[in-house]
Amino acid sequence: MMEDLDPEQARAVIDPALKLMMDAAHRYDGYVVQSTGDGIFALFGAPVAHEDHPQRSLYTALRMQEELRRYSAKVVADGGTPIQGRIGINTGEVMVRSIHTGAGHVEYTPIGHMTNLASRMQTAAPVGSIAVTEATRKLCEGYFILEPLGLTRVKGVTEPVNVYEVTGLGPLRTRLQRSAGRGLTKFVGRGREMEAMRNAAELACAGRGQIVAAMAEAGAGKSRLFFEFKAKNQSGWMVLEAFSVSHGKASAYFPALDLLHGYFRIAAEDDARTRREKVNGRIVTLDPALEDTRPYLFGLLGIVEGDDPLSQMDGQVKRRRTLDAIKHILLRESINQPLMVIFEDLHWIDDETQAFLNLLAESIANAKILLLAAPTLPAEMPSRHIPEFARCE
């Protein structure tokens, strides 16, 4: 494309695209090592370490492609040429060095074969796609949809390399879900905790909404406890689950969106029209009186058709009414059947989801709702500490 543009025209087109890519990397705590002129080189897992850095890189890649598609549509609408990008990802060990280049500037650069292989994946990726290596696939399978592209000859590598294309989000959100697919060890003990939750469930079924918070340090088995309780006690309940992730604070309503996708049975492959149909159908079936919640749900789910009717609304008013819309949907559904609402890893939730939980906690006293929540306590925090949302009489 740039072959037919002078440098100033090329910069006017490329710079906004580079900013979109860098913003996506920063959103998931990636470190942008350098710009390559018409692309970027980003690093995950260093200098800031995260246990889920391979997944973060794929979340970033999907967001980059989504943002580039939107930007390209705008460029085309203005009479320009479509813009597409390739993304390559590899995972492995590298040596990282800091080089002082003068004037107080320090470059933080990874060196090694793994870095070169990531660059080769970018070249091997079909236009507009994301290509990853076998090493990345092993760490991210289940969290994302990965389609095999077959063995590929790569420059600098003796043997052909297995390449996979990332096409979307997979069904898994947590490590426990992935472990369950492989087979869990026998669940023993926790009788007192299971009995406490069963008692809370009985009260909720009788119309006295309950909140159970399993509070402990990371690795104590909170997620497994909820998993086993749900497996043995979900008959007759509608179960809605929302999972927080370590990068979730960067995304408003991240767990709440997860919950709504489950409630409306929205799949990753559904287009905007299909999503609107599912929301419309569920609301009409549930209670036509909830029609006024639809614009707020459409806005939150990003499926507004045409001009957004809420675009001129005050931000705080829109936020409050959006939270009320989710609350009203759940309270009305609980009249039809008891709801078990599970929120995992609350220490990672964003402010909007926290506000929703506070609102829901204040509203379920006379509803058939059992709210199960699992905040992780820092080692120095006393076990008697109660999260703000759980202070409910």
Side-chain angles (χ1 to χ4, degrees):
M1 179 188 67
M2 289 193 293
E3 185 178 2
D4 300 322
L5 300 176
D6 65 38
E8 290 183 355
Q9 290 175 318
R11 177 179 177 179
V13 174
I14 295 300
D15 279 5
L18 293 180
K19 185 178 186 305
L20 291 174
M21 290 188 276
M22 287 188 283
D23 287 347
H26 293 151
R27 184 184 186 91
Y28 296 99
D29 285 343
Y31 176 78
V32 178
V33 177
Q34 65 183 41
S35 167
T36 59
D38 61 351
I40 65 169
F41 173 29
L43 189 64
F44 294 81
V48 179
H50 294 286
E51 64 179 15
D52 61 345
H53 63 264
Q55 292 96 308
R56 286 172 179 253
S57 69
L58 268 64
Y59 279 120
T60 297
L62 288 171
R63 185 173 183 85
M64 283 183 183
Q65 293 292 18
E66 181 182 352
E67 294 293 336
L68 284 174
R69 282 191 289 270
R70 291 177 182 170
Y71 176 57
S72 179
K74 181 179 181 298
V75 171
V76 171
D78 293 339
T81 304
I83 294 177
Q84 293 177 298
R86 311 170 190 259
I87 300 173
I89 299 173
N90 184 36
T91 309
E93 293 184 349
V94 295
M95 177 66 71
V96 181
R97 66 181 180 185
S98 297
I99 300 177
H100 293 266
T101 57
H105 180 68
V106 179
E107 288 188 355
Y108 184 82
T109 308
I111 301 170
H113 173 67
M114 294 299 169
T115 302
N116 295 331
L117 191 52
S119 177
R120 301 303 181 194
M121 289 300 99
Q122 183 266 326
T123 305
V127 175
S129 73
I130 305 159
V132 304
T133 61
E134 180 75 23
T136 304
R137 179 200 67 80
K138 289 179 179 178
L139 295 168
C140 296
E141 192 169 34
Y143 300 107
F144 300 87
I145 301 172
L146 301 164
E147 303 291 343
L149 296 178
L151 290 171
T152 302
R153 285 283 181 185
V154 176
K155 184 179 179 181
V157 181
T158 305
E159 298 295 329
V161 175
N162 270 317
V163 180
Y164 300 84
E165 181 180 353
V166 183
T167 59
L169 295 177
L172 302 186
R173 292 292 180 271
T174 68
R175 286 182 294 176
L176 179 65
Q177 290 176 324
R178 194 178 192 193
S179 298
R182 298 169 176 173
L184 297 170
T185 57
K186 184 178 179 180
F187 183 73
V188 296
R190 302 296 187 196
R192 184 172 64 87
E193 289 85 354
M194 293 288 278
E195 184 61 27
M197 288 194 288
R198 278 192 289 267
N199 291 336
E202 290 176 3
L203 290 172
C205 269
R208 297 171 60 187
Q210 299 290 303
I211 300 173
V212 176
M215 296 182 288
E217 297 176 20
K222 303 181 298 296
S223 296
R224 180 69 186 274
L225 179 66
F226 283 172
F227 178 87
E228 295 294 337
F229 178 77
K230 179 187 70 172
K232 297 174 182 177
N233 299 275
Q234 64 181 334
S235 178
W237 292 76
M238 173 182 280
V239 180
L240 298 174
E241 297 183 83
F243 299 102
S244 301
V245 291
S246 60
H247 58 265
K249 286 182 179 291
S251 303
Y253 297 103
F254 190 93
L257 285 169
D258 209 24
L259 183 144
L260 289 174
H261 285 157
Y263 178 73
F264 290 112
R265 298 176 184 173
I266 293 173
E269 62 271 16
D270 291 340
D271 58 21
R273 179 178 178 180
T274 302
R275 297 180 183 215
R276 285 192 294 270
E277 290 173 350
K278 288 184 175 182
V279 174
N280 284 330
R282 196 69 185 254
I283 291 175
V284 170
T285 303
L286 180 62
D287 188 346
L290 293 171
E291 173 69 21
D292 59 347
T293 66
R294 188 172 61 171
Y296 300 97
L297 295 172
F298 277 15
L300 181 58
L301 293 167
I303 53 175
V304 176
E305 184 177 19
D307 295 333
D308 184 359
L310 308 179
S311 60
Q312 303 302 316
M313 182 177 289
D314 177 77
Q316 288 300 318
V317 174
K318 181 179 178 181
R319 179 177 184 262
R320 185 178 69 251
R321 292 183 180 176
T322 298
L323 297 176
D324 281 336
I326 307 173
K327 180 193 74 174
H328 290 319
I329 290 290
L330 297 185
L331 291 177
R332 179 61 184 85
E333 186 63 62
S334 71
I335 296 175
N336 297 341
Q337 58 188 321
L339 294 186
M340 186 186 300
V341 183
I342 304 174
F343 275 82
E344 295 262 15
D345 294 320
L346 291 188
H347 52 291
W348 283 331
I349 63 172
D350 57 278
D351 292 341
E352 284 74 14
T353 302
Q354 177 71 66
F356 166 65
L357 280 171
N358 293 341
L359 181 63
L360 185 63
E362 296 167 357
S363 309
I364 65 173
N366 300 310
K368 296 179 180 180
I369 295 179
L370 173 62
L371 175 59
L372 303 179
T376 292
L377 301 182
E380 66 275 9
M381 183 179 290
S383 60
R384 65 179 179 273
H385 174 80
I386 304 296
E388 178 185 351
F389 79 89
R391 292 174 186 158
C392 178
E393 297 182 356

